[in-house]
Amino acid sequence: MKVSFLIYYQKNEPISYLKSLIDRCTKKEEINLEEIQLVKSIQEGDIEALGKIFELYKHRALRTVYLITGDKYISEDIVQEAFVQCYFSVKDLRKPEHFKTWFFKMLTRMAWRSIKKEKKIIPTEEIMEKVDLKENSYSLEEGFVQAEQDKKIYKEISKLDLKHQTTIILYYYNELSIKEIAKVMGCLEGTVKSRLHNARNKLKDALEKLDEKEGSNRKESGTFEIYKTI
Amino acid sequence: MKKKVLIERRVALLKSTKLFKEQLKSSLEIKANEIDVKDTMFAKIKYEINEREREMKMSKSFKNNKMKKIMLAGVIGVFSISCVAAPIIKPVITSWIGSSSSQATFNKFPNEKEVQKAVGFLPKYVEMLPNDFTFDSAYISDGYGQDEEGNKVVSTKSIVFDYERAGEVQDKSSKMLILCIEDVPEEFVDYGDAEEVSCGELKLYYNEQLVKNVPAEYELTEEDKLNEASGKVEFNYGTAEVEEIKRTSVVWYENGLEYVLINGDYDLTKDQMLDMAKTVINK
């Protein structure tokens, strides 16, 4: 199927941005030969190979689960269990090159089950209170405004239903392609696109309402105008 | 002019959309950076893997041994009692876990009321079996089947009747004759490659296998691995020395219960085993 893209851009827009845009639309799964070899070794029971895979995936895995669950302790438990399950179940993975999506599929399912089991998502107000602005190097007034904006955006993300939330996290944080997200979530690529689109619209609406409610004029930062334009 | 306005609007839209997406990404990254991986995490993962591998080995070790003879360092045995023919049922259950006290529940032949109270169901069982076997003791156990993610799929309860033959030397750990009766849905029973024999409306499944009992730290040889993979030999871990025994069994399913008659190393033919099974069925 031939697909045409009509892209409007300003002259000073970096080409790299356009390339990344096109890549994200048509990205194939990256094949990492070293990783494939490690996965095959784990399939043969090599626990040291699991250690190397752990080093490659640990940060992304833990932070993805934390973004979904909002609980540090539960996130650690889930990630630990995921790697243990990975060791025992990876024999069933017929194509080692699909390890990334296979692993994230298992991880997200475990995170979802945990949320349903715990029957709660920790209120974002509680989490937000723990954010130390100094740790994020926000010392100027502008930085404070930015930090507040980040808080609001995450708060609204966490209010989305699990599937929309996970789609947003996998796309923007993990930078998975549409195809990869479809495999992780066990749905069609069209569904992923639809969820992304709906999630973005919901976020924009929510943030716009929030801004209007607060009555704050963010013209200087350009944020208010962004939502208005859309 | 109109076209220029249109283009400008589209550029503004793209720019603002891009900015919004960058803000989404930024807020997620800032949130995600609140957590970091502890140095000890992989050590915990390794430990957990080793523990589960040990449990899996141990869960095989008591499957076919007499409960009264399962005394490993004073630890109450953890064993899987059901589905002798095939412990792994696809596609859901990947392992069976069970536990029982090392002390017999009944040291004299129990009446129906006692059995019903102990296990919650009333099976067919007899005090004496052909070929000079008489009741010795009975054990109760609880178990469950779990899927690969450790979720409990089905819970089970079972009673094991232990029989002894008069005049036989009983101190040899390999000899046993037991009747295991388990309350388990038939969908979880797998008869494997056992030979099917009809008995009225029931189907009996006869199986012969070599069992190798080995110490917990025993390392499988290449030949062992081949034999285990082909199903020729079954390995049980937890004995003091390596011993080989011939095991025969008859399995049948009746009225919601799985019956497994297991002979460990007694000199019994296939017909003798089937006769004993029919004695229970015809009770």
Side-chain angles (χ1 to χ4, degrees), chain A residues 8 10 13 17 47-48 50-51 54 58-59 62-63 66-67 72 76 79-81 83-85 87-88 92 113 127 131 136 138 149-150 153-154 157 168 172-173 175 200 203-204 207 226-227 230, chain B residues 7 9-38 40-42 44-46 48-50 52-53 56 148-151:
Chain A
Y8 290 91
Q10 286 187 321
E13 196 71 70
Y17 168 70
I47 205 164
E48 298 308 318
L50 179 73
F54 173 78
K58 62 183 182 183
H59 292 299
L62 183 63
R63 288 166 180 168
Y66 180 55
L67 286 171
K72 287 184 183 177
E76 283 173 0
V79 170
Q80 259 173 230
E81 180 60 26
F83 278 101
V84 172
Q85 286 298 330
Y87 178 78
F88 288 112
D92 301 329
R113 264 201 299 277
I127 302 168
V131 172
N136 298 317
Y138 290 127
Q149 189 63 19
D150 287 331
I153 292 173
Y154 180 75
I157 291 172
I168 289 281
Y172 288 105
Y173 179 69
E175 294 186 331
R200 279 196 288 253
L203 289 171
K204 285 168 191 169
L207 287 162
I226 289 168
Y227 304 130
I230 292 165
Chain B
I7 290 171
R9 280 187 186 166
R10 283 180 179 167
V11 167
L13 179 67
L14 187 68
K15 202 173 175 183
S16 62
T17 306
K18 180 193 164 193
L19 193 58
F20 179 62
K21 289 176 184 177
E22 282 174 0
Q23 285 185 316
L24 277 181
K25 190 172 158 63
S26 163
S27 78
L28 286 170
E29 280 178 354
I30 286 167
K31 177 69 191 152
N33 286 340
E34 287 177 6
I35 193 171
D36 212 344
V37 179
K38 289 180 184 161
T40 53
M41 187 179 270
F42 189 67
K44 288 182 184 177
I45 290 166
K46 261 180 97 166
E48 187 59 34
I49 287 171
N50 289 333
R52 288 196 198 179
E53 280 183 327
M56 281 193 261
E148 59 183 15
E149 287 157 8
N151 299 311

Side-chain angles (χ1 to χ4, degrees), chain B residues 89-207:
Chain B
I89 306 296
K90 291 178 180 179
V92 178
I93 293 181
T94 54
S95 62
W96 291 95
I97 307 293
S99 63
S100 167
S101 168
S102 58
Q103 301 298 319
T105 307
F106 301 110
N107 286 306
K108 65 172 192 171
F109 190 68
N111 60 42
E112 289 184 351
K113 203 175 168 185
E114 286 171 323
V115 171
Q116 174 80 49
K117 191 181 173 187
V119 291
F121 56 84
L122 186 61
K124 288 182 183 176
Y125 61 101
V126 294
E127 189 171 6
M128 293 171 71
L129 285 169
N131 305 296
D132 299 322
F133 285 96
T134 53
F135 172 84
D136 177 73
S137 54
Y139 300 77
I140 306 294
S141 77
D142 294 296
Y144 60 91
Q146 62 183 21
D147 62 20
E148 59 183 15
E149 287 157 8
N151 299 311
K152 204 182 277 193
V153 177
V154 63
S155 296
T156 64
K157 192 99 178 173
S158 52
I159 182 166
V160 181
F161 293 91
D162 182 11
Y163 295 87
E164 290 187 350
R165 188 184 248 173
E168 287 271 351
V169 175
Q170 296 298 333
D171 59 351
K172 207 179 160 203
S173 64
S174 61
K175 280 187 182 289
M176 66 165 183
L177 183 78
I178 56 175
L179 175 65
C180 312
I181 307 165
E182 189 166 24
D183 173 20
V184 64
E186 194 172 11
E187 65 197 87
F188 295 113
V189 178
D190 186 348
Y191 304 104
D193 295 327
E195 181 190 336
E196 189 179 305
V197 176
S198 290
C199 175
E201 288 179 359
L202 287 178
K203 287 192 175 65
L204 310 183
Y205 296 87
Y206 177 76
N207 189 47

